[in-house]
Amino acid sequence: MKHNFIILLALLFISQGCTNTEKKKNTETIETQFNQELANELDKLADVDQTAANVPRGKFKDYSKEEFNAYKDSVFTANKKRAEEILDEYGYPGIDLVGEEGSSNFWLIVQHCDFDPEFQKRVLKLMKAELDKGNANGKNYAYLTDRVRKNTGQKLLYGTQVVYNNQGQAVSMPLEDSANVNVRRAEVGLPPLEAYLNSMTKFHFQINKEMMLKRGIEEPILYEVPGQNDSIQ
């Protein structure tokens, strides 16, 4: 009887060991596989997105303002529809699924879905889960966070959405807890807000240089950046 009991224990131990091994195998098989086809598709969608988001180029220079705006709306709407399908099938496409560039391309498409902030909010929530796993870009997350806040009437957290004053300086839209904005920016890998505003100010000056010169503004008016003793050039 004692002998039979020992055999039974041995069999249970072996069975448990097999079960644990099987669980380990199952866990290993659910690792996300890189999807090159999806990454390629996102690359193409992002190219079209950028054509629509920028000033008219190529054949689009001949479009009237109304025609180009209609084209832009059609691109953003079509891209949003496809982004929803991708989200439903894969969740937020993280770096493991489509690579750093592919994941950023998906984010870029969502950035231009301002006409549907509820969709942007949905993406932001899923993106945060991937960010916490190191599977999404922190800078992109900050930009989408501010985009959602702007589109839902809230104050920004990272200062990524700007307006311009009469001197052509970029100014952040209203901030929540403005005293700690650079702390938050550093946490996601963004430079100090003043450095970002300077880059936006320089860009604004260049594309509006003729108008700025007529106003008597001969060069971009920049902010002092914390931690930099020398003035920005």
Side-chain angles (χ1 to χ4, degrees):
M1 183 71 179
K2 182 177 180 182
H3 179 70
N4 290 339
F5 180 70
I6 293 173
I7 293 174
L8 180 60
L9 285 177
L11 290 172
L12 286 172
F13 178 78
I14 293 170
S15 175
Q16 183 64 36
C18 290
T19 301
N20 290 338
T21 302
E22 195 63 35
K23 285 181 180 179
K24 183 178 180 182
K25 287 182 179 179
N26 289 337
T27 301
E28 291 172 350
T29 58
I30 62 174
E31 291 181 0
T32 302
Q33 298 296 312
F34 182 77
N35 190 327
Q36 186 64 60
E37 184 178 354
L38 181 58
N40 291 342
E41 180 186 1
L42 287 169
D43 188 52
K44 292 177 182 178
L45 291 174
D47 279 344
V48 176
D49 173 275
Q50 287 300 282
T51 298
N54 286 297
V55 295
R57 295 172 292 185
K59 68 177 184 180
F60 297 109
K61 285 184 177 180
D62 296 328
Y63 278 38
S64 67
K65 183 177 180 180
E66 292 74 18
E67 288 174 330
F68 188 73
N69 283 340
Y71 166 74
K72 180 188 297 189
D73 290 344
S74 69
V75 168
F76 293 163
T77 300
N79 278 359
K80 183 244 176 179
K81 180 180 179 181
R82 179 59 184 136
E84 281 186 308
E85 293 170 349
I86 292 171
L87 210 64
D88 290 340
E89 183 172 356
Y90 301 100
Y92 185 85
I95 297 168
D96 58 357
L97 180 68
V98 291
E100 181 81 41
E101 184 176 0
S103 187
S104 289
N105 283 336
F106 183 84
W107 159 81
L108 185 65
I109 291 167
V110 177
Q111 278 282 99
H112 294 146
C113 292
D114 294 320
F115 54 89
D116 193 345
E118 288 303 313
F119 172 65
Q120 290 179 321
K121 284 171 64 176
R122 178 191 174 196
V123 174
L124 186 66
K125 182 178 180 179
L126 295 172
M127 188 181 187
K128 179 60 166 63
E130 296 305 313
L131 180 66
D132 291 343
K133 296 186 291 186
N135 197 35
N137 184 293
K139 296 177 184 179
N140 291 348
Y141 176 78
Y143 276 89
L144 185 56
T145 296
D146 276 359
R147 200 85 169 206
V148 167
R149 283 178 161 261
K150 171 191 171 186
N151 291 335
T152 55
Q154 302 177 74
K155 292 183 177 180
L156 308 185
L157 286 181
Y158 299 96
T160 63
Q161 303 293 304
V162 303
V163 293
Y164 296 91
N165 63 23
N166 291 333
Q167 295 180 306
Q169 272 186 313
V171 180
S172 170
M173 296 183 74
L175 282 164
E176 184 173 307
D177 186 22
S178 59
N180 291 305
V181 62
N182 282 337
V183 174
R184 293 191 295 275
R185 289 177 64 88
E187 289 173 347
V188 294
L190 290 172
L193 178 59
E194 292 81 0
Y196 172 67
L197 295 178
N198 284 345
S199 67
M200 297 298 288
T201 297
K202 290 176 183 178
F203 177 73
H204 183 262
F205 180 85
Q206 287 302 318
I207 63 175
N208 297 283
K209 191 170 184 177
E210 186 177 346
M211 179 185 68
M212 290 294 177
L213 292 175
K214 287 181 178 179
R215 288 186 186 177
I217 302 171
E218 298 183 353
E219 60 182 19
I221 301 172
L222 306 179
Y223 299 91
E224 182 178 346
V225 180
Q228 292 186 7
N229 295 323
D230 299 329
S231 60
I232 300 295
Q233 301 298 318

